[in-house]
Amino acid sequence: MTDSAAAALADFSSTRQPEELMTEQAQQAALRRARGEIPELHRLLDEAVTALRTSLAVVVENFPPDATALAVAATALGRVDPSCNGPVPDTLVHDVVDSEARPYRDPDPFHTDSPLQAEPHAYLGLLCVRPSPAGDGRTVLVSAADVAAEIADDGRLRALQAPRYPFAVPREPGEPGEPGGDGSSVTTHPILTVSGEDVTVRYCPVRVTAGVRSAGHALDAEHVDALGAFERALEAPRLPTVFLLRAGELLLLDNRRLLHGRTDVGPSGVGRHLMRVKVRTRTADA
Ligand SMILES: O=C(O)CCC(=O)C(=O)O
Ligand SMILES: [Fe+2]
């Protein structure tokens, strides 16, 4: 994005708060105005949407570090959903901040976001406000299609497609027991779905590991074997794309066709800051 478009978007955003953009109607109205007032933004967003559909991820450079600007741009992809974006309800833009403590600085292994939802969010936007000065905390991406090709075995791919994989649902604070500990709080889904050329994925290692451990949801040997093959494929060193998101870079990604994660963050990386939005498409999953 050019300096002048970035300045115009920052200016546009300075007169609006993210709280004013909670409804789809307000989001669309703001996007229409921004597109009208900033023709270069209009073109850039159209290009980014097209690139995202074909490449599954796109980085927009020189984006203003602003929550309203992020929400307005993400509206080009669909409805920016304030529900289920981090622990606080009604969060349009969630601040991803690496805390001093482990495990926050440990590697964040490959996952998709919103894995417990009936329809996980179609797209994510991650805007880097401040990277780790040490250059760690790098972003890793791998496509569901590449993982399926790595697994290669039709029987295993068929097994991964069964809606039988248990994802542990964390309990509300105050509820007794471990997540998924007694099998009562588990939701089951396919992990990898191959439909012609289109391969989609839903996976979160913490949730699946706890789900599989839960007594009431024992998987049979065939599905355990397929899950093992999936997890090994995620470790294949040549598959991931690894890069450092720099300040002002906005990563838009397809949350159903890519898994994402990040490498570990050393002590000097505390203060790394991303802003995150989650986007639903009108048909839920077009
Ligand atoms: O910290 C990162 O780079 C990724 C964070 C992440 O996975 C997320 O916010 O969904
Ligand atoms: Fe994530």
Side-chain angles (χ1 to χ4, degrees):
M1 168 175 251
T2 61
D3 286 347
S4 65
L9 177 57
D11 203 33
F12 178 90
S13 304
S14 69
T15 59
R16 293 166 177 81
Q17 297 301 314
E19 297 74 47
E20 297 167 36
L21 299 175
M22 289 297 190
T23 67
E24 183 172 21
Q25 207 181 15
Q27 292 168 11
Q28 289 293 343
L31 177 62
R32 263 194 310 278
R33 283 200 70 146
R35 280 181 181 276
E37 288 177 22
I38 315 168
E40 196 196 319
L41 179 74
H42 181 63
R43 284 192 297 278
L44 178 91
L45 291 177
D46 284 351
E47 272 172 37
V49 171
T50 305
L52 183 56
R53 296 235 163 90
T54 51
S55 307
L56 307 183
V58 62
V59 174
V60 178
E61 297 173 337
N62 202 26
F63 196 91
D66 181 275
T68 300
L70 173 58
V72 169
T75 299
L77 299 171
R79 177 169 71 85
V80 184
D81 186 1
S83 68
C84 307
N85 191 7
V88 180
D90 299 325
T91 303
L92 197 67
V93 178
H94 171 69
D95 290 301
V96 180
V97 182
D98 293 297
S99 119
E100 202 72 56
R102 300 270 176 202
Y104 298 101
R105 287 177 16 223
D106 288 342
D108 191 359
F110 278 128
H111 64 279
T112 58
D113 274 21
S114 317
L116 304 177
Q117 301 213 336
E119 299 286 355
H121 293 93
Y123 299 112
L124 303 180
L126 292 170
L127 171 61
C128 181
V129 179
R130 194 165 50 240
S132 162
D136 46 18
R138 286 150 73 89
T139 299
V140 285
L141 302 176
V142 67
S143 77
D146 282 352
V147 173
E150 180 73 17
I151 295 170
D153 179 89
D154 283 345
R156 286 173 165 161
L157 291 173
R158 228 180 353 263
L160 288 164
Q161 203 147 323
R164 299 186 41 170
Y165 288 92
F167 290 66
V169 180
R171 290 166 191 278
E172 296 295 318
E175 273 187 89
E178 289 298 306
D182 62 3
S184 65
S185 196
V186 156
T187 164
T188 58
H189 299 284
I191 286 184
L192 199 63
T193 304
V194 182
S195 169
E197 297 285 289
D198 194 26
V199 188
T200 53
V201 61
R202 174 200 295 253
Y203 181 66
C204 174
V206 175
R207 305 260 162 263
V208 172
T209 302
V212 169
R213 217 184 288 125
S214 118
H217 285 267
L219 276 181
D220 63 18
E222 179 194 0
H223 292 86
V224 168
D225 167 72
L227 178 59
F230 174 83
E231 289 171 345
R232 282 194 302 281
L234 292 184
E235 301 287 318
R238 65 201 155 75
L239 294 191
T241 301
V242 186
F243 58 99
L244 182 69
L245 268 183
R246 295 171 201 283
E249 289 186 341
L250 166 60
L251 168 66
L252 301 171
L253 69 91
D254 187 319
N255 184 48
R256 297 184 321 118
R257 296 179 177 87
L258 286 183
L259 297 117
H260 65 278
R262 67 142 174 71
T263 64
D264 69 325
V265 175
S268 68
V270 172
R272 176 179 183 270
H273 178 194
L274 308 183
M275 288 180 182
R276 181 183 70 201
V277 282
K278 296 186 174 187
V279 181
R280 291 199 179 283
T281 48
R282 203 170 285 277
T283 57
D285 282 324

